[in-house]
Amino acid sequence: MRLFSHLKLRKSSRFPKFGFYRFLLAFVFLIALMPAASAQAQTPTPSPEVQRVLNSMSPEERVGQLFLVTFTGTNTETDSQIYNLVSRYRVGGAVLLAQNDNFASESDTIVQTRALIENIQKLAWDTSASPVTDPATGKTVKYAYAPLFIGIAKEDNGYPTEQILNGLTPLPSDMAIGATWNVKLAAAVAEVRGRELSALGFNLYLGPSLDVLESPSVSGGDFDTRVFGGDPFWVGEMGRAYITGLHTGSDNRLLVVAKHFPGVGSADRLPEEEVSTVRKSLEQLKQIELAPFFAVTGGALSPESKVDGLLVSHIRYQGFQGNIRATTRPISFDPQALSQILALPQFSAWASQGGLIVSDNLGARAVREFYASGGGQFSARIAARDAFLAGNDMLYLGNIVSGDSSDTYSVTANIIEFFTQKYREDPAFAQRVDASAARILAAKMRLYGSFSLSNVTASKTPLFEIGTAGDITFDVARNAATLVSPDRQDLAAVIPLPPQQNESMVFITDTQSVKQCSTCAEQPALAVNALQQAVLRLYGPQSGNQTANFRLTSYSFQTLQELLDAQNPESIESDLTRANWVVISLSGALQSQPALVSRFLRERPNILRDKRVILFSFGAPYYFDTTTISKFTAYFALYSRQPQFVDVAARLLFQEITPIGASPVSIPGIGYDLISVMSPDPNQIIPLSLDLAPVPAMTESSITPEATAIPLFQIGDTIAIRAGVIKDHNGHSVPDGTVVRFSMLLTGEGGGILKQVDAVTTQGMARAAFGLDKPGLLEIHVTSEPALISESLQLDVSQSGAVAVTVVVPQLTQPAAPTPSPSITEEEDPYISKQGYPLFSAWIIAMLFIVFSAWITYGIAYRMAQKRSAIRLALGIALGGLVAYNFLAFGLLGVANWLASRSLSGVAIFIFFGEALGFAAGWVWAQRD
């Protein structure tokens, strides 16, 4: 009331007519602007060095720091786009893209990229070292120097998400890393990536993706292998390890911006194609989508483990604040929704320490279509302004175009000039720009300590060391390889032996041609004969002679499509008919490749009958339904198309290695539900022990270690208990937050449960404590549903004095095995192999049979005709018999091998048939006389 009476006094004494209402309107307008500024409410005070650089900047320079731009080509001369963007518009950074021809051909990609980045950084230095003439105003100006962010939006796994196709170490996809369930491998992969990118001069990495693929799309259209998995805890663990590796490998000279904040794993389409709407409230987002971002921003993280920035995605939420009928704007343009998320404690503390908020690509088609959805024309500068006022510090413009211009350079320049004009006219806007520019400069200062060209372009890694760390990729491939179908215990039954020396294989491969730049030569993303060549290299004549080239043939999916469309391509049908193994390599689902495979299995079962059909998915593992999966003899998931994964596929085919990975996402086609799989395994005994302080590590000065005292307990004491590590169904630690129940029981007569304590796991372990306030024989055990069996701690506090704790380990009771039905032992045929081919003993008998037939024919013909005719008839029979036997030995005729596989008599019948044809040929030959 005192406040309102004060306002009333002010109105009556000093405000002119309607002045009070103007004051109220201004106050309401100020309140409306508060959400836009709230993201910067926790902006840290700039350091003196940052403040000095900021004070020396003109409005144009401060505005320029906000923008990440793109440009075409590799030219940095005075007539180039990038020269003007750096020298005139003073942009804060640039992102290099393969689609913009920023990388040269495969022969010198690495050398050219490093030279390009150094030239761009040198532009910023040269134009600040001495006064220059502003071409717009004609005035001489002196610019302050700040290094540029040179970024790359790189997602390993080759085309289409890879920007640099040649020269760098081929690294696995995020999902392949997730399938190892090994954070050390995640850090090792990222360390290689950080070291190599930093050596080229990159200092900004737009990644990794921390999206949670909660419900995979069987028809495609999701992130495929560009995510670590479908569980928020493990995505956070892998993401934190990957970020740590990037920082460590680059010697903390790489700014890491995680994406796609606040998480788009539940979207039904890719964010760059269309703005998705997800029906989730903020509370639901905190449980799933936001959890991985909490893992890399909140808590007591080391500087290496903490992400430097968040890339804000263009995604909408329905029911964000609980009202299911209310839908946000895309988060990247919605100041209220974005500020509400950033106000969460995990993010507000991180932002107060200098964390950057970066908009996702404003040049994406999804943004244009969203703004044009109301029937209006897309204005790039309005979209950029909205994104900035929503709370983004830095704006990634990408290849942005506008309704009135399709030239990215012109549109970019127009946006920067619009921001500069607004800076000069609007003090509130200028304050926002200054705050974001200070945060950006502080981030750059953390990378380099001080701004100098020699410091920015220095690299500790020589170029010849780049691209040499393929061993880590092979380690990931070996640990990620997953058997999708059948179950592991059934694999030996369906494939008892690897391909044999006399068996034929047909490889059908999903291949595409890609180019590093528009003028570069094409190269295969996954060569049509990639797996065949790997098999020959590892198991061919030069490596154990387990197979030969003439028994192997390779075809593309295009040829398979032609076969199904009855276009009679090449000889694929005859090769498939003759083959013993059909091996299909699938690389993704962008072009409906899984549908083609399903169609092949459905329409041509006659070709595949009695053959082993093997599928290797070098993409995601969830494209097929139950019916299709049942038609594969075996189905393996590799998750990545890199050469090392093709080698692992060949080793799996020949049973040299065993698949030990586990899918990090759900696979509906086999009933593999990730939530169920990651729950505690009921077939385990949960370890239980006293939660004692760790024993100090031994030092060199220690001579004789002291014996560890056995803890004793009595009435009135508190006993601390630790359970775990608790394992899930895949044998890994259960996620943090898994509920564990500790129970203390009084045994004996009148006993029962005394106390129960619920706790949650951290790193697979849970802790609890009980007060010993009642005498008797006490027993403590633990459960974590559905795991109900644990070790027990027993102590008898009914006696006088202190007592020790006894650990009791129960025995798992295995279910009684079903009585096996009598098996019929199949006797081995001494003449015919299991695959239907004649053995050496059959060869001896066949040769004797052929010689005997020829000799009998010669003897009879010699008596009835001339000697020459007798020889020709005998040779005809001999050659006919030999040709027939070779058909059997080399499996050149399916019917022949089917007949021979029955018995030795089948071999004899077929040879006799060949001899009859040979006799006929010899008869015709003899009649010429």
Side-chain angles (χ1 to χ4, degrees), residues 50-129:
V50 170
Q51 192 64 54
R52 183 190 64 78
V53 176
L54 183 64
N55 291 341
S56 66
M57 286 183 163
S58 65
E60 291 80 3
E61 293 175 274
R62 299 183 186 194
V63 166
Q65 286 296 310
L66 307 180
F67 295 98
L68 282 172
V69 301
T70 61
F71 62 97
T72 303
T74 59
N75 180 23
T76 59
E77 299 300 325
T78 55
D79 60 342
S80 66
Q81 297 176 354
I82 189 61
Y83 181 89
N84 285 330
L85 290 171
V86 173
S87 63
R88 178 179 174 183
Y89 294 102
R90 312 305 295 175
V91 295
V95 176
L96 304 189
L97 299 171
Q99 69 184 88
N100 288 346
D101 289 344
N102 294 143
F103 305 106
S105 61
E106 62 274 10
S107 59
D108 58 354
T109 305
I110 299 303
V111 175
Q112 174 271 332
T113 301
R114 184 165 177 172
L116 173 63
I117 293 174
E118 288 182 353
N119 289 338
I120 295 174
Q121 293 287 15
K122 193 170 184 298
L123 286 178
W125 174 262
D126 290 344
T127 53
S128 62

Side-chain angles (χ1 to χ4, degrees), residues 506 553 555 559 563 568-578:
V506 171
T553 52
Y555 295 95
T559 305
L563 171 68
N568 301 319
E570 306 177 23
S571 57
I572 182 173
E573 186 163 7
S574 60
D575 284 339
L576 285 170
T577 301
R578 188 170 56 249

Side-chain angles (χ1 to χ4, degrees), residues 676-688 723-735 738-740 761 763-766 781-792 808-815:
S676 300
V677 168
M678 297 186 66
S679 65
D681 184 3
N683 298 316
Q684 68 175 312
I685 299 175
I686 301 176
L688 194 62
V725 173
I726 303 175
K727 302 291 186 180
D728 65 14
H729 288 70
N730 282 331
H732 308 119
S733 300
V734 294
T738 300
V739 177
V740 179
T761 57
Q763 301 297 320
M765 294 184 290
H781 63 82
V782 65
T783 60
S784 183
E785 293 185 355
L788 304 177
I789 303 175
S790 74
E791 296 177 348
S792 299
V808 179
V809 181
Q811 296 294 324
L812 276 177
T813 56
Q814 299 293 341

